[in-house]
Amino acid sequence: MRHRLCILHWMPVEDFPPAMNMVKYFGQQHDWEVSLCTNRHHLDRPEFLHETGEVIRGVFPTGTSGIRRLLAYASFHLKSFVHLMKTRPDTILYIEPHSVFPVVLSRLFTRRARIFAHFHEYHSPDEYEKPGMRMARWFHKLEKRWVFPKVAWISQTNLQRLELFLRDNPEIDKSRAQVLSNFPPLCWWQTQNQAWSKNNRADEPIRFVYVGALSRADTFIEETVIWIAQLGPLKASLDIYCYNMHPETREWLRTVADKQIRVHESGIAYEELPGLLSEFHVGLILYKGNTPNYVHNASNKLFEYLSCGLDVLYPFQMAGVRPYRISARVPRVVECDFSNLTELTYTREGRTTLQPLSQLYDCESEYERLALQMTGAY
C-alpha cells in the first residue's frame, strides 16, 4: 500500500535545494505517493520538476499593493487546502510557519494525517516582533496553538538551532524533536575535484568560489574581494555565482569585476553544481552572523563544497559551522577572521599528505530516517 505524503513549502522550492532533494528522494521510493505545494518563483527561475507526483503552485507575493499581496498569499493557502482535502494524505510535512495555515484548516475537517514540521531557519522571538514579520508572526502563533502540541515530528537543521527552538517553544514534546541536516545527495561525494588533482602546482593561483545570496550588509563579500585583489591574479582568483543579491551590492560588484574577480549574475542551476565546484580549490561561506539564525547556521553550502572536494573558509562568527572544523584531513574546514584576512595563514602546503574525510554527509541517510518515522517503523 502506497504511503501518501504532501509537502507544503510556501517559499518557492527552487531557492531551497534541501527541499528539492527531499521531494526527489521520496518521489523515487516505489511505495510512496508524493505531492508538493509551493509558490511560483518571482524571478522566473527554471521550475523544479517533480517527475513522479503533482505540484500545486500559488503566486508568490510581490509589489506593494495590499490587495495583490493578500490575494497572492491566499492563492497558496487555498490551493493547498483544497489539495489536502482532495487527496487526504497519510502524512503532511509543512516547512516553515508560512506553510502551516492549510494544515490548520484541514484539521477542522479531518485528522487522519500525521503532522510533521521542519524549519530551514531559526527565528528568535525578537525577530518575530519585527515589522516585516507580521504574517510570519501570525502563522507562528497558529502553529504554537494548534500544531506544536500535537505534532508527530518537528525538526531543525542542526542541534544548536534545535536547542534554541525548544527553549522558545516549551509546549513541544522534546521526544518528537529531531535534527534534519541539509546534506547533498550521496552521488556528489563521487565528484573528482579537478582543481586539486590537476591544478595543484605551487605556481598555480588558488581558485576561490562563492555560491549563494549576497549583500554587503550581511556577508563579508567586500572584505573578501579586497583581499583577493590584493593577493593578485598570480596567487588567487574569485568566482561569484549569485542571482539573488541586494541591488546596491550588484552595482558595487559590477564596478570591481575583472578577469580576477568574476561575477556570474545568473547563478548556477543546482544540478550543475558538482561539475562546476570541482573546478575550484576553496569554497567560501561569508555570512556575518547578524542574527541568531546565521550564527547557528551550518550552511548547506558547507556540505556541498566538501562533497566536491573543496576546502572551506568560514567566518568565526558562524558557531554552527564550528563542529565541522577540521585541519587534519581533506577537505579542510578553516575558521577565519574575515575582517582581518591579511593575517590568514591558509596554505595549500602539506595538503597532499592528509587523509580524506572518513564521514560522508548525505541527504539520503537523513530522509531514510524521516521516512521510517512517517511510516511508524522507526
Side-chain angles (χ1 to χ4, degrees):
M1 187 174 181
R2 292 168 68 83
H3 190 96
R4 289 174 295 176
L5 166 65
C6 180
I7 299 174
L8 303 179
H9 196 286
W10 182 81
M11 292 293 290
V13 73
E14 290 78 9
D15 285 340
F16 294 84
M20 293 191 290
N21 288 335
M22 179 187 294
V23 174
K24 288 180 180 179
Y25 172 83
F26 283 104
Q28 291 167 357
Q29 310 307 307
H30 73 278
D31 51 350
W32 286 75
E33 182 180 318
V34 184
S35 58
L36 169 67
C37 298
T38 188
N39 272 319
R40 297 192 183 281
H41 205 289
H42 57 295
L43 297 178
D44 296 323
R45 302 295 294 175
E47 283 195 349
F48 167 71
L49 298 178
H50 178 27
E51 298 177 352
T52 60
E54 188 175 3
V55 179
I56 294 86
R57 290 186 183 266
V59 179
F60 189 81
T62 57
T64 57
S65 169
I67 296 297
R68 285 189 176 185
R69 288 182 64 83
L70 184 61
L71 291 174
Y73 269 106
S75 70
F76 169 83
H77 298 297
L78 290 177
K79 287 183 177 182
S80 300
F81 168 67
V82 169
H83 178 70
L84 291 176
M85 297 306 298
K86 176 182 175 182
T87 59
R88 303 295 176 100
D90 301 299
T91 302
I92 301 171
L93 169 63
Y94 79 90
I95 300 177
E96 295 295 328
H98 305 75
S99 307
V100 76
F101 191 49
V103 180
V104 176
L105 281 180
S106 69
R107 288 182 66 82
L108 296 176
F109 300 92
T110 176
R111 299 194 175 191
R112 73 179 302 272
R114 299 177 72 212
I115 307 303
F116 283 57
H118 178 63
F119 297 87
H120 295 306
E121 317 286 350
Y122 165 73
H123 298 297
S124 68
D126 289 342
E127 288 178 271
Y128 277 117
E129 295 303 317
K130 292 181 179 179
M133 295 286 283
R134 183 172 58 179
M135 292 300 294
R137 181 166 62 247
W138 187 73
F139 291 133
H140 182 53
K141 289 180 179 179
L142 276 183
E143 64 183 355
K144 284 176 70 72
R145 173 66 179 84
W146 298 104
V147 179
F148 284 0
K150 306 176 181 67
V151 73
W153 160 294
I154 194 161
S155 52
Q156 280 276 349
T157 59
N158 62 45
L159 184 59
Q160 297 97 320
R161 283 177 169 181
L162 182 62
E163 290 173 345
L164 292 170
F165 184 74
L166 291 175
R167 182 198 64 186
D168 299 339
N169 301 282
E171 66 275 16
I172 296 172
D173 183 346
K174 292 184 179 181
S175 68
R176 300 177 182 181
Q178 303 286 336
V179 171
L180 190 70
S181 299
N182 288 338
F183 298 155
L186 182 61
C187 63
W188 284 39
W189 289 91
Q190 300 170 4
T191 304
Q192 175 68 37
N193 187 285
Q194 303 297 319
W196 285 118
S197 62
K198 295 183 179 180
N199 300 309
N200 193 27
R201 301 196 315 269
D203 60 343
E204 287 282 344
I206 296 178
R207 301 194 65 192
F208 293 85
V209 64
Y210 176 83
V211 181
L214 274 179
S215 79
R216 286 206 282 179
D218 295 321
T219 69
F220 289 104
I221 186 59
E222 183 172 1
E223 292 85 347
T224 302
V225 166
I226 292 172
W227 175 61
I228 295 289
Q230 290 174 344
L231 291 176
L234 297 180
K235 290 188 175 181
S237 66
L238 172 63
D239 283 78
I240 300 165
Y241 291 84
C242 176
Y243 68 87
N244 181 19
M245 69 179 86
H246 190 278
E248 183 273 338
T249 302
R250 177 180 288 107
E251 292 305 313
W252 175 77
L253 282 173
R254 288 173 178 174
T255 66
V256 298
D258 56 21
K259 292 182 178 180
Q260 185 188 11
I261 312 291
R262 297 178 285 268
V263 182
H264 310 268
E265 295 186 26
S266 59
I268 181 71
Y270 182 70
E271 59 272 15
E272 297 175 11
L273 265 179
L276 173 77
L277 292 178
S278 68
E279 300 295 328
F280 294 90
H281 298 100
V282 181
L284 300 173
I285 301 174
L286 299 178
Y287 297 117
K288 289 183 175 179
N290 290 339
T291 66
N293 179 53
Y294 284 105
V295 169
H296 301 287
N297 179 23
S299 168
N300 51 294
K301 284 294 172 289
L302 166 67
F303 306 106
E304 291 162 6
Y305 291 151
L306 291 176
S307 68
C308 296
L310 283 73
D311 285 350
V312 179
L313 303 186
Y314 75 95
F316 72 85
Q317 290 88 344
M318 293 187 66
V321 180
R322 194 163 296 136
Y324 303 96
R325 180 174 56 179
I326 187 168
S327 59
R329 290 181 179 270
V330 289
R332 298 171 292 180
V333 180
V334 181
E335 187 172 284
C336 307
D337 181 356
F338 274 81
S339 63
N340 190 22
L341 285 170
T342 56
E343 300 297 319
L344 178 63
T345 58
Y346 174 83
T347 175
R348 73 175 85 200
E349 293 179 8
R351 193 180 189 278
T352 56
T353 64
L354 301 178
Q355 295 296 312
L357 284 176
S358 57
Q359 181 176 357
L360 305 184
Y361 305 100
D362 65 279
C363 66
E364 288 89 348
S365 297
E366 296 293 290
Y367 300 145
E368 180 180 5
R369 182 166 53 87
L370 176 60
L372 291 174
Q373 286 278 9
M374 288 180 173
T375 58
Y378 192 76

